[in-house]
Amino acid sequence: MKAVIMAGGRGTRLRPLTCHVPKPIVSIMNKPVMEYSIEWLKQYGITHIAVTVEYLSDEIIEYFGDGQRFGVHLYYFEEATPLGTAGSVKHAQSFLDDTFVVISADTLTTIDLQQAIDFHFSKQSLVTVLMHHEATPLSYGGIVTDRHGKIIHFVEKPKWNEVCTDLVNTGIYICHPTIFDYMPQHPPYDFSQHLFPYLVQHEYPIYGWQADGYWSDIGVIEQYHQTHIDLLNQRFVPSHYKEIAPAIWVGKGVKIGQGVKLEGPIMIGDDVRIDDYATVEPYTVIGPRSVISKYASLKRSIVWSDVYIDQHSELRGAIVANDVYIGKKNEIFDYAVIGAKCKLENKVKVQHEVKIWPNKTIAEKTKVKHSIVWGEQHTKTLFSEQGIKMRAYIDAHPLFITRLASAYSSLYEKESRILIGFDAHPFSRSMSMLFAGCLHIYGMHTNIYEGGYLPAFRYIVPHKQYHGGVFITMNEHDEVIVDIYDEYGYPIDRAMERAIEQQMKHEHACYVSLTQIGKAMKQKEKDELYVRALRQWIPFSSSEQWKVVVCSSPLLREIIEHTLQSFAIQVVWTDHQDDEHIRRQIKREHAHFGIVFDRSGERFRIFDGQGTALTNEEVISLHVLVSLLFSETKKVAVPSWAPSMLHTLAERLYGDIVYVKDARRDFLFAHHHEPFHFYFDGLYACVQLFHLLAIERCSLRAVVSSIPTIHLSCRDVYCPWHERAAVMRKLLEECYDKHVDFTDGIKVYHEDGAWTLILPKVDEPTLTIYSQATNAQKAKEYTKYYIKKIRQYQNV
């Protein structure tokens, strides 16, 4: 059997450690990480190994050579351009003439490969994916299998609302060579994004094997640091190190001075010098030829080779690359990373998570609070369902906005045109102006939409041919929401979100010359384009007197009044949003219904003519009714939690419904042929409801009552982030014999025709449980059952 080690990645998430060092040579316990993969394969008799290389390939080839000194034979396949994971393996197809193993160069594992190979052959599998439990699976590919191990669902690098299992793809595969028949001739092409979903969809024999043993992918700084702690705890230390005291391992030629305090587990490399009264505390690894001077103190830190740490300096959870000088009385804290050949002069203080790129000199007494020169680290969940959501003045500060603008600009050509919008809050306006100014520095042009009505903003972006849009709002919790849109007026897709997240973490700062600075357009965008289009789209006219009670922010009043009056609809304004006041106002004014807009106008609440607020189920039913009555389409999108009875409603109107994720982009994209959307445009919904009432000649409550009866139960249940993935997997394991839909969350169909949907929230540690049944009591029972199971699985 042969193997492939994929060693072509750039390791961008490990920067600045990988700025000048390829990821396969990144040091783990004073040894290049790829060496562990070679040793693991050799342990199972696999000695003929292909290595796919691209980034800094010469350094990899120079270090590992032909593999002879490691007891294996290495064959290199160099990529001129990135081919993707599957594409890079296909590049080595001529070498792979029998069943072979694939592993990434940045993987450490003690998994029993022979057991996985036996499983692979017993299932006659085309591909076997080795799986491992991971409590926080956001950076990996989630895998769902049936009871026999056949893979039935993949979700690559999910957001929290997409997590349905804690079993993740380790990046280790056992493949039959016929796998190449399913790969296209023209890469790039990935295993997890392209090949595996294709094989699952067409029901080819692709299996998952649940592995025991240690496994780590060192792709990010936090995991790189944790891997050292894991290996020290498991005493996984290179063989030539000598244990001179419990859990204290030292290499050759180590010199330890008088009064030095050593507390294990620690590992000290060859020819290290530790001077008098220095302290090396647990979970520290020191690389060869480094010097720890008098009274210096290290704890939970990783120091590479040829580092000099001067007197009285303290490192706590820090990572220091090669050839770094750290002066006297420095303080460096958790997850701070110092790049190669940096010089930190005396009394420098480096804060938590700060990264300093290679070859930087930090002046004496500097307090380094932010990364130099590049962007700082951010959470993996930068994007919520509403865009980027942050606390004003805490997370949303000018420095963050400038870095976000820098990352955003990297995705566009110079001289691109971006529309900027904001709500009525002065903080939103200030942040928007700052964002626009930063884009000018990166050579992009901007224009301002001052109307504050988000659906109009979405309409203007594609119809005025902007390349994208950014809309900034404040919610009632004093949180800033930065909402980013593509050239079609849709919220950006996950690929673009990830690209922005990566640029926020790394080194984008591509300024332009003074002659190329972007400009703010003089003619600002107005509401009229949207209002005129809406008026033409809805053929509603009536001699009757229509009246609606409206609550909105002052900024939206102009567009709401202008639009509704153009349809001869009388508006009664109120500033009070509480239900009781709205109810009294509707009755007092004899209004047909009431509507409360959020600050951007995209979301809204509807009250019928008696002042009763419509439920979400009733609003989505009206969405189906209006969409099928007043548009040419015969298919309407609904969220995964929508009641099945809506099929009956759709059939009455000679149409059908299609389920999508409960996310704005999925909704809007499903109706891409229409410029307006009932569910995400309060004005459009309001006018269409009057259009509906004029045709039906009855009240809004009568219309809602005519819709088939809905028995839907909905409850939220707390589930901690670190337990969510395991809870979802355990719920799935109970459902092996049931039909499960993965459109959004996990939807379990019961034998009696009922169903339950477990839908994780993207930005809260909460699972929402929806159950539908033939009666309300049965729906509640299903919901209670799954809530009980979720709480039980949290305590296992």
Side-chain angles (χ1 to χ4, degrees), residues 150 182 195-205:
K150 188 174 182 181
Y182 303 97
L195 181 60
F196 293 162
Y198 173 84
L199 296 177
V200 170
Q201 181 183 356
H202 292 84
E203 299 187 353
Y204 288 107

Side-chain angles (χ1 to χ4, degrees), residues 80-341:
T81 58
L83 302 176
T85 52
S88 68
V89 173
K90 187 176 177 65
H91 189 52
Q93 182 176 358
S94 60
F95 173 76
L96 302 168
D97 52 5
D98 199 352
T99 299
F100 60 92
V101 176
V102 177
I103 186 172
S104 297
D106 58 353
T107 297
L108 281 86
T109 186
T110 62
I111 290 170
D112 189 327
L113 179 58
Q114 188 58 54
Q115 289 185 16
I117 292 170
D118 294 342
F119 174 87
H120 173 80
F121 284 115
S122 72
K123 297 295 183 181
Q124 296 183 322
S125 181
L126 180 63
V127 183
T128 297
V129 180
L130 275 62
M131 307 180 299
H132 202 271
H133 290 283
E134 184 67 34
T136 306
L138 304 186
S139 297
Y140 307 98
I143 300 175
V144 179
T145 69
D146 65 15
R147 65 169 70 251
H148 306 293
K150 188 174 182 181
I151 295 174
I152 58 174
H153 183 62
F154 261 99
V155 54
E156 179 63 11
K157 294 182 180 175
K159 295 169 76 168
W160 269 121
N161 61 324
E162 299 171 320
V163 170
C164 56
T165 177
D166 65 340
L167 284 173
V168 301
N169 178 4
T170 62
I172 305 173
Y173 316 128
I174 304 170
C175 305
H176 190 278
T178 56
I179 192 71
F180 297 120
D181 296 341
Y182 303 97
M183 297 184 190
Q185 294 299 319
H186 304 291
Y189 195 69
D190 281 322
F191 281 113
S192 55
Q193 292 187 42
H194 305 118
L195 181 60
F196 293 162
Y198 173 84
L199 296 177
V200 170
Q201 181 183 356
H202 292 84
E203 299 187 353
Y204 288 107
I206 173 172
Y207 282 81
W209 185 74
Q210 188 172 322
D212 295 322
Y214 182 73
W215 169 78
S216 176
D217 170 359
I218 66 159
V220 295
I221 291 295
E222 294 86 348
Q223 187 58 36
Y224 173 79
H225 190 273
Q226 182 62 42
T227 298
H228 284 80
I229 294 174
D230 295 341
L231 296 184
L232 286 169
N233 279 334
Q234 297 186 29
R235 304 174 67 89
F236 200 66
V237 177
S239 58
H240 82 274
Y241 282 82
K242 181 180 179 181
E243 190 173 12
I244 62 171
I248 296 173
W249 293 276
V250 300
K252 300 172 183 177
V254 174
K255 296 179 180 179
I256 300 174
Q258 179 182 350
V260 170
K261 180 183 176 182
L262 304 177
E263 184 180 352
I266 59 175
M267 196 179 88
I268 303 168
D270 296 348
D271 302 311
V272 167
R273 191 186 88 206
I274 303 178
D275 291 344
D276 298 349
Y277 307 107
T279 300
V280 182
E281 295 188 64
Y283 302 112
T284 296
V285 174
I286 302 173
R289 300 175 301 281
S290 292
V291 175
I292 315 300
S293 298
K294 291 182 178 180
Y295 301 102
S297 174
L298 283 71
K299 185 176 183 178
R300 301 188 318 278
S301 295
I302 302 161
V303 176
W304 286 13
S305 62
D306 302 293
V307 173
Y308 190 97
I309 300 173
D310 216 332
Q311 298 179 20
H312 295 281
S313 283
E314 295 185 7
L315 277 66
R316 296 291 181 266
I319 302 171
V320 182
N322 296 331
D323 301 301
V324 171
Y325 171 79
I326 295 174
K328 295 180 175 66
K329 296 184 178 181
N330 276 223
E331 297 176 44
I332 307 175
F333 295 105
D334 285 349
Y335 299 127
V337 184
I338 314 300
K341 301 183 186 299

Side-chain angles (χ1 to χ4, degrees), residues 547 549 582-594 606-614 693 699-702 704:
K547 186 184 290 188
V549 171
I582 296 289
R583 186 184 66 80
R584 290 198 304 267
Q585 187 88 335
I586 289 171
K587 286 189 172 184
R588 183 167 55 248
E589 296 290 341
H590 301 288
H592 292 83
F593 59 86
I606 298 174
F607 297 77
D608 67 17
Q610 296 301 309
T612 302
L614 271 60
L693 297 185
S699 69
L700 180 57
R701 176 49 58 187
V704 171

Side-chain angles (χ1 to χ4, degrees), residues 350-475:
V350 183
Q351 300 273 26
H352 170 77
E353 284 195 345
V354 164
K355 297 178 182 179
I356 301 177
W357 251 242
N359 300 297
K360 302 292 183 295
T361 297
I362 310 300
E364 187 170 346
K365 297 183 180 180
T366 300
K367 292 183 178 180
V368 187
K369 298 180 179 180
H370 302 286
S371 297
I372 302 176
V373 163
W374 320 109
E376 60 186 328
Q377 178 79 14
H378 293 282
T379 65
K380 296 185 178 81
T381 53
L382 182 63
F383 283 87
S384 70
E385 168 52 27
Q386 295 176 292
I388 301 173
K389 186 162 64 175
M390 306 160 289
R391 296 164 294 173
Y393 299 111
I394 299 174
D395 306 307
H397 47 72
L399 184 58
F400 176 87
I401 293 296
T402 58
R403 290 176 175 169
L404 177 60
S406 171
Y408 176 75
S409 70
S410 70
L411 308 183
Y412 290 92
E413 300 290 334
K414 300 298 180 283
E415 300 190 357
S416 293
R417 299 165 65 250
I418 305 298
L419 185 63
I420 306 291
F422 41 85
D423 66 10
H425 199 287
F427 192 83
S428 304
R429 183 184 181 92
S430 298
M431 292 293 103
S432 298
M433 295 302 100
L434 176 59
F435 196 98
C438 292
L439 294 185
H440 298 161
I441 293 173
Y442 298 114
M444 302 172 73
H445 305 305
T446 66
N447 201 1
I448 299 299
Y449 165 66
E450 292 186 320
Y453 190 66
L454 180 53
F457 175 88
R458 288 201 317 257
Y459 182 87
I460 292 168
V461 169
H463 287 86
K464 285 295 192 72
Q465 297 182 331
Y466 288 95
H467 295 95
V470 177
F471 197 90
I472 299 181
T473 59
M474 290 279 291
N475 66 18

Side-chain angles (χ1 to χ4, degrees), residues 514-583:
L514 293 177
T515 59
Q516 295 177 305
I517 289 176
K519 299 176 182 178
M521 302 174 198
K522 294 181 180 179
Q523 188 67 41
K524 294 181 172 59
E525 296 291 358
K526 303 294 184 183
D527 296 320
E528 190 56 39
L529 180 69
Y530 165 86
V531 175
R532 188 166 58 247
L534 184 68
R535 189 71 186 87
Q536 294 171 351
W537 185 262
I538 304 177
F540 167 56
S541 62
S542 174
S543 58
E544 296 184 46
Q545 183 66 37
W546 300 99
K547 186 184 290 188
V548 61
V549 171
V550 177
C551 179
S552 79
S553 72
L555 182 61
L556 301 185
R557 284 198 172 193
E558 182 178 347
I559 184 174
I560 292 171
E561 193 149 40
H562 176 42
T563 304
L564 296 183
Q565 285 181 352
S566 71
F567 286 97
I569 299 169
Q570 182 184 348
V571 179
V572 178
W573 293 102
T574 179
D575 294 326
H576 301 281
Q577 294 191 26
D578 65 280
D579 290 10
E580 182 57 29
H581 181 88
I582 296 289
R583 186 184 66 80

Side-chain angles (χ1 to χ4, degrees), residues 740-754:
V740 178
D741 183 4
F742 297 100
T743 298
D744 198 11
I746 56 175
K747 192 173 188 178
V748 181
Y749 289 88
H750 307 302
E751 293 179 357
D752 58 1

